[in-house]
Amino acid sequence: MDAPVAPPKVEVDASHRYGSLTVHEELKFRVNANEFVCICGPSGCGKTTLLDMLAGILVPSSGHVLIDGMSANPKKQSISFVFQEPSTFPWLTVAENVATGLKIKGVPAATIRSKVADIIGIVGLTGFEDYYPHQISGGMKQRVAIARAFATEADLVLMDEPFVSLDQPTREHMQREVLDIWRRMKRTVIFVTHNLEEAVYLADRVLILSAKPARIVAELPITLQHPRDPLSAEFTEIRSKCVRWLHATH
Amino acid sequence: MAATTKDEGRRSSIATAMGAGIKIGAWNVVSLAIALAVWQLASVAVASPFFPAPMQIVDAFIQLATRGDTTGHSLWEHAWASIERVLVGFGLGVLFAVPLGLLMGLYPKLYAGTRSVIEPFRFIPPIAWIPLAIIFFSGLTRFAFLIFLGAFFPIFTSTLVGVARVEPIHRKVGIVHGAGKLWILRHVVIPTVMPDIMAGMRVGLGTAWLTIVAAELAGGISTGLGRMMTNYAELIMVSHVIVGMLLIGLIGFLMNEVLLLVERRLFRWRWQVSL
């Protein structure tokens, strides 16, 4: 473990409860700048609550969620979110949807145009700028949502099982694309998934959460080179290790 | 997919859509012709001076349009008087109903807490307000008030209901990117509710015309299509009364078409052909 000189990008040390239900009990972890972290846990482990805390739209009952040493606040920091369910605005075109985050941040129109064109090229939607969401496929819509999240100079990109509704080939394709975008654009990514193979394929580090009240039960750094081969011995070994940890949480 | 095939696909679907449009237009001409023929046959069969044939309506129309009515007002004066009242009253209705519907939709407690004051008014027909309107108001104000009452509730209610349709995920997209309440209102709530507002406006427009004719029939003024019809009814000149009726139908229909056109323009995202 390297001794961090600069403060970590994200620092979580929080507990959260709704009435008598404890969702998170002293949930503690750090994420470094430009790191790709996957969080896995059994269903009902409070991942939505965790993401809402990271996005700054939910304040933990005790403890803190810090981004660059400051409490998470969507109005002050630049945080982006890719949701599990379809989240594009049906009344906006692909290009207008991608520009949404930039418009909220008050970026000048000329800058928005060039940034949107760039990112649309990166996610492979060139030629579809003027289409409406209902005219494109589910996979393309999710690409629009990813482009929207990466278009802003987001310090932190939160991804909530973004590929769960996609078919397997599209899902694999999107995983490669997200890695590619992440490498090109240098962002800190926190990616929640129930799919351990996906986590091992994508992450620099996998965090395993326990069932409620959720804590971090394991932290597995993954140093395999990209592109990773899910059939290789090393990959399978790490994956089985994750499976064992996940089963231990039950 | 290559850009050219996409464009071709689009063009051919536009061509199909246009072909369908022409077909529908043709069917409308046919049904109109059948309706006129039935009317003509019925008037021949009944053979009464109180059951005019379509041509007699045309004659009455030409007479009213070129020489005006018995009181010296032209048909256009009557028509414009009614249109002006409808536009002012309807405009006021939109101006109040939309913001109030949005406000109460966004703050359901506000609506829940005032329901008992608001809702009963919905069931008092605008026509029932005519006696009071005659006492309290005169001229344009009277009609504007009555039409306002008629147009307000359809628009208010559909706006209110529409706000509930806003997807929480769309709101969240705004919030996580740091948007404030005003941004969410403008860029999430209003675009979602717009189709409901427009639907409410079209219903409200119907109510507005219903109200204006009733209000004009009630008297106290010298112009308006309703007034003109009452005048001719007293003279038992059925053709002239029917001219007024048809003109109301036609103006209402045209206004509705204008709203539909606006709707189609605003909601391109719903109408455009899919891939």
Side-chain angles (χ1 to χ4, degrees):
Chain A
M1 277 280 143
D2 48 352
V5 183
K9 190 77 199 173
V10 179
E11 190 181 347
V12 176
D13 182 355
S15 301
H16 193 73
R17 55 189 67 83
Y18 293 110
S20 62
L21 176 74
T22 306
V23 184
H24 298 303
E25 185 70 58
E26 292 186 15
L27 183 65
K28 271 189 213 177
F29 65 91
R30 290 175 167 202
V31 178
N32 297 319
N34 301 336
E35 198 179 9
F36 198 124
V37 169
C38 279
I39 297 179
C40 296
S43 49
C45 68
K47 66 167 175 81
T48 308
T49 306
L50 172 60
L51 285 169
D52 283 355
M53 290 194 305
L54 286 163
I57 54 183
L58 181 75
V59 179
S61 330
S62 65
H64 56 247
V65 174
L66 301 178
I67 294 170
D68 288 325
M70 287 181 302
S71 289
N73 178 343
K75 292 205 176 160
K76 295 206 177 107
Q77 288 127 345
S78 188
I79 300 163
S80 276
F81 212 125
V82 182
F83 297 91
Q84 181 180 332
E85 59 266 58
S87 63
T88 50
F89 297 124
W91 53 87
L92 296 182
T93 62
V94 165
E96 288 164 344
N97 262 296
V98 172
T100 302
L102 295 164
K103 278 187 188 153
I104 294 172
K105 297 282 179 218
V107 175
T111 319
I112 290 182
R113 255 194 306 279
S114 73
K115 280 196 177 196
V116 167
D118 284 351
I119 189 97
I120 281 180
I122 292 174
V123 298
L125 286 172
T126 308
F128 292 94
E129 289 86 347
D130 297 328
Y131 280 69
Y132 288 96
H134 79 98
Q135 298 175 290
I136 60 178
S137 69
M140 289 163 91
K141 264 181 254 189
Q142 199 57 319
R143 262 189 263 175
V144 173
I146 291 167
R148 176 174 65 196
F150 279 88
T152 59
E153 296 288 317
D155 299 320
L156 179 61
V157 179
L158 303 170
M159 302 179 91
D160 182 4
E161 294 196 70
F163 308 141
V164 80
S165 59
L166 304 180
D167 57 76
Q168 190 61 24
T170 315
R171 185 181 185 126
E172 284 170 10
H173 178 72
M174 295 300 296
Q175 289 168 353
R176 284 193 293 276
E177 261 181 25
V178 160
L179 277 179
D180 188 48
I181 298 168
W182 168 67
R183 252 175 318 192
R184 287 209 229 176
M185 303 191 75
K186 291 275 165 260
R187 298 283 198 282
T188 309
V189 177
I190 297 180
F191 189 111
V192 170
T193 178
H194 285 131
N195 184 330
L196 288 171
E197 184 164 309
E198 181 168 74
V200 177
Y201 184 79
L202 294 170
D204 290 331
R205 197 151 49 99
V206 177
L207 304 178
I208 309 274
L209 283 185
S210 67
K212 273 189 202 96
R215 293 166 298 108
I216 304 284
V217 290
E219 189 183 327
L220 300 113
I222 300 167
T223 49
L224 299 176
Q225 283 294 313
H226 288 290
R228 293 171 182 167
D229 175 9
L231 299 174
S232 72
E234 302 97 313
F235 192 101
T236 335
E237 197 197 315
I238 299 170
R239 191 174 165 279
S240 343
K241 220 190 267 179
C242 291
V243 172
R244 276 196 296 279
W245 274 113
L246 196 61
H247 284 174
T249 64
H250 282 283
Chain B
M1 201 190 291
T4 48
T5 53
K6 263 183 341 210
D7 283 350
E8 273 161 23
R10 247 185 189 179
R11 228 175 284 135
S12 73
S13 4
I14 288 168
T16 333
M18 274 173 68
I22 291 167
K23 229 177 190 174
I24 288 171
W27 274 113
N28 276 291
V29 171
V30 170
S31 47
L32 201 63
I34 292 172
L36 284 172
V38 170
W39 181 355
Q40 179 70 44
L41 285 175
S43 70
V44 170
V46 175
S48 151
F50 304 123
F51 197 140
M55 267 322 282
Q56 285 169 275
I57 311 297
V58 175
D59 286 340
F61 172 78
I62 292 170
Q63 192 195 336
L64 282 169
T66 54
R67 273 175 287 158
D69 69 357
T70 48
T71 56
H73 294 289
S74 81
L75 183 60
W76 311 121
E77 252 177 276
H78 285 303
W80 174 246
S82 297
I83 293 172
E84 189 187 28
R85 291 163 191 161
V86 166
L87 288 180
V88 172
F90 180 71
L92 282 173
V94 174
L95 221 62
F96 279 85
V98 174
L100 211 62
L102 287 174
L103 186 74
M104 297 208 160
L106 290 170
Y107 299 96
K109 278 187 187 156
L110 209 59
Y111 173 67
T114 52
R115 268 182 64 113
S116 60
V117 180
I118 296 169
E119 285 298 310
F121 281 95
R122 193 151 72 87
F123 295 96
I124 305 173
I127 300 165
W129 286 87
I130 291 176
L132 279 187
I134 289 176
I135 297 171
F136 290 121
F137 304 108
S138 66
L140 183 63
T141 327
R142 179 193 298 167
F143 296 103
F145 171 70
L146 290 168
I147 291 164
F148 165 81
L149 290 171
F152 178 84
F153 277 103
I155 305 171
F156 169 75
T157 310
S158 55
T159 308
L160 184 73
V161 172
V163 177
R165 264 193 262 281
V166 174
E167 298 269 3
I169 190 80
H170 289 155
R171 235 183 254 265
K172 214 169 163 185
V173 167
I175 294 170
V176 294
H177 284 99
K181 279 198 167 133
L182 213 62
W183 191 94
I184 290 169
L185 177 69
R186 267 193 61 194
H187 298 275
V188 177
V189 177
I190 290 178
T192 308
V193 186
M194 214 49 204
D196 291 299
I197 294 177
M198 292 301 295
M201 278 170 73
R202 291 200 287 118
V203 177
L205 190 63
T207 327
W209 277 101
L210 196 95
T211 313
I212 184 66
V213 175
E216 288 172 351
L217 291 176
I221 30 86
S222 55
T223 54
L225 288 171
R227 181 75 256 150
M228 185 190 89
M229 284 158 65
T230 325
N231 290 341
Y232 281 103
E234 279 160 12
L235 300 169
I236 325 186
M237 290 168 80
V238 178
S239 306
H240 293 71
V241 177
I242 294 177
V243 169
M245 289 167 64
L246 289 180
L247 203 57
I248 289 164
L250 190 69
I251 296 169
F253 174 70
L254 290 177
M255 282 192 171
N256 192 57
E257 287 299 296
V258 170
L259 281 182
L260 277 175
L261 222 69
V262 173
E263 224 171 283
R264 229 162 272 211
R265 181 96 210 109
L266 278 176
F267 311 135
R268 255 179 321 137
W269 56 274
R270 286 178 144 198
W271 294 90
Q272 226 153 60
V273 285
S274 300
L275 270 179

